[in-house]
Amino acid sequence: MKLLLVGATGLVGREVLRLALADARVSQVVAPVRKPLPGHPKLDAPLVDFDRLPPDAPWWQMDAVICTLGTTMKQAGTRQLFRRVDHDYPLAVARLALAAGTRAYVLNSAAGANAGSRIFYNRVKGELERDLEQLGFMSLTCVRPGLIGGERDEARAGEGAALRLLRVLGPVLPRRWRINPAPRIAAALLEAALAAAPGVHVVASEQLA
């Protein structure tokens, strides 16, 4: 399989990249990034501006896309910039890949994704899922983790305390409320891309605990 991975420098994206490069079923990984990645024989990491993606790049034509792009309100600064990263960029990637013949798209979404939600974060995630489904990929999988366990480059306010609490309470909590480790999310994303099962699929947070 030839895999296009967007968001390769984030917590989950790094895990997807690690797994994909080690997987014999994956022959090539193209990971468009804003800053260079360490070299690997199977990796092509072109430097791009996500506001000006090259429509004629040959690497849009792949077997599957895994998208782990995402930010936070704190990092984005405004709702408009948050929507650009968490909705517009993944959708732009999807359109270019689909136009080039890529048949499968796998999204790292979020538990609670709902286009009709009053919560801005959940609404943006849900709108992206809805808009991706309307594009008509042969295979679309939305993986919906809850609180993600792992070491981020930048701490998120309140997340550390929540993670510590859930680690203590994990054994007695329902599976849908437990921490979802980044490697497990990454494995689910990669397996969905490799399987490329026809239709629209959702992997819920309880399946990632």
Side-chain angles (χ1 to χ4, degrees), residues 14-180:
R14 290 196 303 266
E15 291 294 332
V16 174
L17 181 60
R18 178 183 64 82
L19 292 174
L21 292 178
D23 196 313
R25 296 171 294 177
V26 179
S27 60
Q28 181 187 18
V29 179
V30 177
V33 287
R34 296 187 184 196
K35 55 186 180 181
L37 288 174
H40 187 281
K42 286 167 56 170
L43 176 63
D44 178 13
L47 296 179
V48 300
D49 178 350
F50 280 93
D51 286 312
R52 299 173 181 82
L53 290 169
D56 55 351
W59 38 261
W60 291 119
Q61 187 175 4
M62 305 294 276
D63 295 307
V65 177
I66 295 178
C67 178
T68 63
L69 280 173
T71 187
T72 64
M73 281 299 299
K74 179 181 178 182
Q75 290 173 324
T78 67
R79 287 190 169 195
Q80 180 182 4
L81 292 176
F82 177 88
R83 181 181 291 276
R84 182 184 300 175
V85 175
D86 278 60
H87 176 276
D88 298 353
Y89 290 168
L91 190 61
V93 167
R95 286 172 171 154
L96 289 166
L98 184 63
T102 300
R103 304 179 68 197
Y105 192 101
V106 183
L107 173 70
N108 187 45
S109 186
N114 183 343
S117 176
R118 294 183 179 181
I119 300 172
F120 177 71
Y121 179 88
N122 291 346
R123 186 166 69 250
V124 171
K125 296 293 188 181
E127 288 172 351
L128 175 58
E129 290 189 9
R130 177 201 63 198
D131 295 344
L132 288 172
E133 185 172 352
Q134 291 174 353
L135 291 181
F137 277 95
M138 183 276 291
S139 175
L140 172 64
T141 301
C142 298
V143 177
R144 295 177 176 173
L147 193 59
I148 301 173
E151 294 297 324
R152 298 186 184 275
D153 291 335
E154 180 177 317
R156 296 186 178 184
E159 193 172 79
L163 283 168
R164 288 192 293 273
L165 179 61
L166 288 180
R167 287 191 186 102
V168 173
L169 298 178
V172 299
L173 288 173
R175 293 185 67 86
R176 67 181 182 276
W177 293 348
R178 297 179 189 177
I179 294 171
N180 296 156

